[in-house]
Amino acid sequence: MRTLVLGGARSGKSVFAEDIAGPGPVVYVATARPWPGDADFAARIALHAARRPASWITEDRRDLVTLLGVPTPTTMLVDDLGTWLTHTTDDCGSAAWEQDSAELDARIDALVDRVTTYSGGDLVIVSPEVGLAVIPEHRSGRVFRDRIGTLNQRLAAVCERVVLVVAGLPLELKTV
């Protein structure tokens, strides 16, 4: 079963995803990376890490697309695609924040392909739903919002289950 869990900031999407992943064993793919000097973001990462049961294996060094290519028989939980997309965009160069990038498009396509063909245990993917928020003032913010929205649509099409979490409450959008 492939499950896509969507939600806004502090919506409860990660906690919901952790609950459905179960006690373990779970391979937890942490996509967030600390940013030098950003204590708030480091605290958020630490909060997520503190919630993980000892039976979970954390993957925070290897590329997500690579990990999805080596399916695990246990549940794999990816949290989250917003930080994955941010780092992947950065890796493609500063111009990728302002304009189309063939390299970035290829990496996004590879991710969607790996999710589509994933053959391991259950796969739970957390992604931010940013389309309900204010229109970003800067082009890079609008480009990110549009990319994550399109990525979410593509993944929702291939996942058997899609859940939107709002105020800690799950709303089943799709169950096959």
Side-chain angles (χ1 to χ4, degrees), residues 77-163:
L77 169 57
V78 178
D79 195 2
D80 83 8
L81 291 185
T83 49
W84 175 84
L85 182 59
T86 298
H87 295 299
T88 303
T89 304
D90 283 345
D91 289 346
C92 292
S94 59
W97 282 103
E98 301 293 327
Q99 61 193 22
D100 290 341
S101 165
E103 180 183 358
L104 180 57
D105 289 345
R107 290 184 184 194
I108 292 169
D109 290 345
L111 174 69
V112 174
D113 288 345
R114 287 287 169 91
V115 170
T116 301
T117 60
Y118 187 77
S119 61
D122 288 343
L123 177 60
V124 180
I125 303 168
V126 178
S127 190
E129 174 49 65
V130 299
L132 301 173
V134 175
I135 296 172
E137 178 181 358
H138 301 284
R139 176 152 174 76
S140 59
R142 292 188 302 273
V143 167
F144 176 84
R145 179 209 51 203
D146 293 349
R147 283 184 182 143
I148 195 75
T150 301
L151 176 57
N152 288 344
Q153 288 180 54
R154 292 179 67 189
L155 291 175
V158 301
C159 288
E160 290 84 13
R161 183 179 183 202
V162 180
V163 181

Side-chain angles (χ1 to χ4, degrees), residues 7-15 18 28 30-35 37-52 58 79-80 83 128:
R10 296 289 195 224
S11 63
K13 63 187 177 295
S14 293
V15 170
E18 292 162 6
Y28 182 96
T31 63
R33 304 290 178 268
W35 189 257
D38 190 340
D40 175 62
F41 197 59
R44 288 172 184 251
I45 292 171
L47 177 67
H48 280 248
R51 284 197 311 250
R52 288 180 220 143
T58 300
D79 195 2
D80 83 8
T83 49

Side-chain angles (χ1 to χ4, degrees), residues 26-31 33 48-49 52-62 67 77:
V26 170
V27 174
Y28 182 96
V29 183
T31 63
R33 304 290 178 268
H48 280 248
R52 288 180 220 143
S55 62
W56 289 17
I57 297 167
T58 300
E59 280 283 358
D60 60 2
R61 301 271 184 241
R62 292 193 289 167
L67 287 168
L77 169 57

